[in-house]
Amino acid sequence: MNKNKWMFLAVGGAAIVTVLVTALLVNIFERKSEEKNPFYRVVEITDDIDDPAIWGKNFPHQYDSYLKTTDMTRTKYGGSEAFPHIPTDKDPRDVVSAQKLDEDPRLKTMWAGYAFSKDFREERGHAYMLVDQIFTERQNVVKQPGTCLNCHASTYLLYKKLGDGDITKGFEEMGKIPYKDIVHSVQHPVSCIDCHDPSTMSLRITRPAFMEGIKLVKAQQGIKEYDVNKMASRQEMRSFVCGQCHVEYFFKGEEKRLTYPWGKGLKADQIMEYYKENGFKDWVHALTGAEVLKAQHPEFEMFNQGTHARAGVACVDCHMPYQRVGAMKVTDHQVRSPLLNINKACQTCHNVPEAELKARVETIQDRHISLRDVAFDALVDYINDLKEFKDEKNPSENLLKARALQKEAQFLFDFVEAENSSGFHAPQEAARILGLSIEKVREGQKLVASLRAKKVAGK
């Protein structure tokens, strides 16, 4: 080969290498630019836009995953399956989730006389939180207050409208209006604006009930005048935004003000003490005449008693884990069970095979359900015992005590039953609460035995 040909090959090779290196550098630059600029402002988003589709123009990856909350996939003990439903004028849904009252009739006994004994389906994803609330049979059984929308719709703009810009005033006004009169004022289930500040995209709290509740909790920790939107750390906010709704609550007073009962702490028995002190009841049990309570969905309270919270893990870390899209790190907005996304939800921290992690979780849940069934059978037996004394016109002191014990046992059991993790969030705490419930039943059955003996002796 002559000298000119070698030179031609060398120049050509150098040119190719230069092109490849340049392409690589351009790619790296573009990826770094993507990382530096996590979104491109396609539309201007203000504090008055609650349509997630508009936010999605600037955040397409987050919006795409948000839309996937329509997926209906179950795990061994949770999640939801799609069951066909024949649409009617009263309920136009063509798909619903499983009716839990049919799966476990003990629920009907526990909630006898309350709307939940008429309809209680498996919870579905956030996409269904509004429509399922509108068409549940519970809406036809009792007159619900507008307060219910706090956790079933994007209400931030409604708060601003009803309160002339003051969300706390608007939140209070909404609670005074019957649900069926105010539900048409909202359009979306939980939306971007409920958790994000549109000017900075930072997480924020928009539910006044949580602002007030977490202030009580922080005061117990010695932190005075806690303002969650100014004083919470970023990692705290990654749980607090979920805790705005996934909590125990009650409607206070005639104005039905949404209140989180955290004045004595977040644990079930501390909340029970709060209710006892305030004399609050949800309804009178149809089978026993006892004044009782319905626990809601205290995921935030139970999570805070578990090892993950102790380790500084946030709700979002497991239920909305980061995912890589190109060079960007994006939060997955398909909020779901970590068991459906073990790779990103669990293996980021746990260097353990996926099958092993799944087996560990299901072992905890299997044991929890076993103990839950023991406690549930005990509670139902106790309710059936108390039925004998329902029509006592002048209840004795012991009968009143027995009914009070039903209230405590039932709330403690329901607190664990209503919490969506099948015991996983805090297995030892769940077992402790179920043990307390069983203990209340045992104390009550002693009283029932004495009442029965006195009744027989009287005859």
Side-chain angles (χ1 to χ4, degrees), residues 10-51:
V11 170
I16 291 171
V17 170
T18 302
V19 169
L20 291 174
V21 169
T22 302
L24 176 64
L25 291 174
V26 169
N27 185 272
I28 292 172
F29 176 77
E30 288 177 347
R31 294 292 175 266
K32 285 191 173 296
S33 295
E34 284 181 6
E35 198 169 33
K36 195 177 294 181
N37 301 296
F39 74 96
Y40 295 97
R41 196 176 294 275
V42 177
V43 294
E44 196 63 32
I45 297 174
T46 70
D47 204 39
D48 293 312
I49 296 175
D50 63 352
D51 186 347

Side-chain angles (χ1 to χ4, degrees), residues 52-53 55-71 192 323 325 330-335:
W55 286 64
K57 293 180 185 298
N58 287 353
F59 303 95
H61 301 303
Q62 289 88 343
Y63 181 61
D64 285 349
S65 56
Y66 167 87
L67 293 177
K68 290 179 182 175
T69 59
T70 55
D71 288 358
C192 318
Q323 56 183 349
V325 180
V330 178
T331 301
D332 184 353
H333 280 61
Q334 185 185 4
V335 185

Side-chain angles (χ1 to χ4, degrees), residues 47 50 129-130 146-163 166-168 170-171 174-175 179 182-183 185-195 204 206-208 244-245 258:
D47 204 39
D50 63 352
M129 60 193 281
L130 179 55
T147 317
C148 297
L149 285 179
N150 184 79
C151 292
H152 284 275
S154 178
T155 53
Y156 178 69
L157 292 191
L158 183 58
Y159 289 162
K160 290 208 315 183
K161 181 181 176 183
L162 293 174
D166 182 337
I167 62 170
T168 299
F171 151 77
M174 188 182 76
Y179 181 86
I182 193 70
V183 67
S185 303
V186 295
Q187 299 182 53
H188 307 287
V190 65
S191 181
C192 318
I193 201 169
D194 296 295
C195 300
R204 67 174 177 180
T206 58
R207 298 311 196 253
Q244 295 186 92
C245 292
L258 182 65

Side-chain angles (χ1 to χ4, degrees), residues 443-455:
E443 290 177 27
Q445 285 178 322
K446 285 183 184 175
L447 286 174
V448 169
S450 69
L451 290 168
R452 193 170 286 142
K454 192 171 180 181
K455 189 175 177 182

Side-chain angles (χ1 to χ4, degrees), residues 282-299:
D282 277 309
W283 86 103
V284 176
H285 200 278
L287 300 178
T288 66
E291 295 181 345
V292 287
L293 295 160
K294 167 74 182 78
Q296 307 305 326
H297 29 74
E299 286 83 54

Side-chain angles (χ1 to χ4, degrees), residues 63-122:
Y63 181 61
D64 285 349
S65 56
Y66 167 87
L67 293 177
K68 290 179 182 175
T69 59
T70 55
D71 288 358
M72 295 180 71
T73 309
R74 68 164 298 122
T75 62
K76 186 172 182 179
Y77 291 112
S80 59
E81 295 171 275
F83 287 86
H85 177 263
I86 299 174
T88 63
D89 292 341
K90 199 170 159 185
D91 183 353
R93 292 176 294 177
D94 56 8
V95 172
V96 296
S97 56
Q99 176 58 266
K100 295 177 80 169
L101 297 177
D102 294 336
E103 292 180 347
D104 194 336
R106 290 176 296 185
L107 293 168
K108 291 183 184 178
T109 302
M110 179 167 67
W111 295 327
Y114 200 52
F116 275 80
S117 68
K118 303 299 181 186
D119 187 17
F120 179 56
R121 293 185 179 277
E122 187 71 67

